[in-house]
């Protein structure tokens, strides 16, 4: 069964978490490092989250149709978006397996990966319907950052090995 049944559910859950994380002054710099406008699209159900993540500019997050023109678009089913932002799905593997489709510069798309470290712990808490102390949240974020970093290194090595000429 699909995790999301409508665009409204995506906006109320994933969208609200992304907006809260991106507009939190403690996280704004992490999001601004992306340096451009990015659109996340889900295809089942159909939804759009457009994020203006430009350096030295206020972060903006819009749901649905947007007049903001994205430099990059990352499209996937709602369940894949759920897993990606929870830190359970590796972007490189998902792209290689066609679970995600990317349009725009790869460098921009890859700048989204570190944001998983910020969003995943918050999103996980939201999904559990609770909150934890700041100290526990910081520990969870640090642990998540380590896991994601290790997964990204492994995925990059896997892609490099697949692309390397075989003798």
């Amino acid at each position: 069964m699909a995790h999301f049944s409508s665009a409204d559910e995506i906006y109320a859950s994933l969208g609200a978490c992304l907006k809260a994380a991106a507009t939190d002054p403690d996280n704004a710099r992490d999001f601004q490092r992306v340096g451009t406008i990015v659109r996340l699209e889900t295809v089942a159900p159909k939804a759009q989250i457009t994020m203006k993540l430009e350096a030295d500019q206020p972060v903006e997050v819009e749901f649905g149709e947007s007049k903001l023109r994205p430099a990059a678009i990352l499209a996937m089913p709602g369940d894949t978006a759920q897993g990606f932002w929870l830190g359970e799905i590796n972007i490189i593997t998902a792209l290689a397996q066609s679970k995600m489709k990317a349009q725009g510069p790869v460098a921009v798309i890859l700048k989204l990966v570190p944001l998983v470290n910020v969003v995943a712990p918050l999103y996980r808490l939201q999904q559990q319907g609770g909150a934890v102390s700041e100290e526990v949240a910081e520990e969870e974020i640090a642990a998540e950052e380590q896991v994601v970093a290790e997964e990204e290194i492994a995925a990059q090595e896997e892609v490099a090995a697949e692309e390397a000429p075989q003798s």
Side-chain angles (χ1 to χ4, degrees):
M1 183 173 159
H3 184 81
F4 300 110
S5 62
S6 69
D8 288 340
E9 283 186 17
I10 289 175
Y11 302 145
S13 180
L14 176 59
C17 186
L18 285 169
K19 189 170 194 169
T23 57
D24 181 327
D26 293 336
N27 301 330
R29 276 207 172 99
D30 293 326
F31 283 84
Q32 290 168 329
R33 283 189 188 109
V34 173
T36 192
I37 298 170
V38 177
R39 177 171 296 141
L40 306 173
E41 295 181 352
T42 59
V43 293
K46 187 174 174 149
Q48 294 181 0
I49 300 171
T50 305
M51 299 185 293
K52 180 180 173 187
L53 308 173
E54 297 175 332
D56 301 323
Q57 296 288 319
V59 173
E60 294 179 35
V61 179
E62 296 182 359
F63 304 150
E65 294 295 322
S66 173
K67 291 184 181 187
L68 296 173
R69 300 200 55 114
I73 299 172
L74 192 58
M76 66 204 83
D79 289 346
T80 302
Q82 170 84 355
F84 173 67
W85 289 106
L86 283 171
E88 299 168 352
I89 293 178
N90 176 284
I91 191 170
I92 295 172
T93 304
L95 288 167
Q97 295 174 347
S98 297
K99 291 181 181 178
M100 288 183 186
K101 301 218 182 305
Q103 295 177 331
V106 174
V108 172
I109 300 295
L110 292 177
K111 286 182 181 181
L112 294 174
V113 174
L115 299 181
V116 172
N117 296 334
V118 175
V119 175
L122 303 172
Y123 194 35
R124 197 169 290 117
L125 288 173
Q126 179 199 54
Q127 295 297 295
Q128 295 168 354
V132 295
S133 71
E134 189 172 311
E135 181 179 310
V136 172
E138 288 175 6
E139 289 173 8
E140 189 170 330
I141 290 169
E144 185 68 32
E145 287 175 349
Q146 181 65 31
V147 169
V148 171
E150 290 170 2
E151 288 175 351
E152 288 305 315
I153 290 169
Q156 289 173 356
E157 290 172 352
E158 181 180 314
V159 169
E162 289 175 4
E163 292 176 353
Q166 297 181 358
S167 22

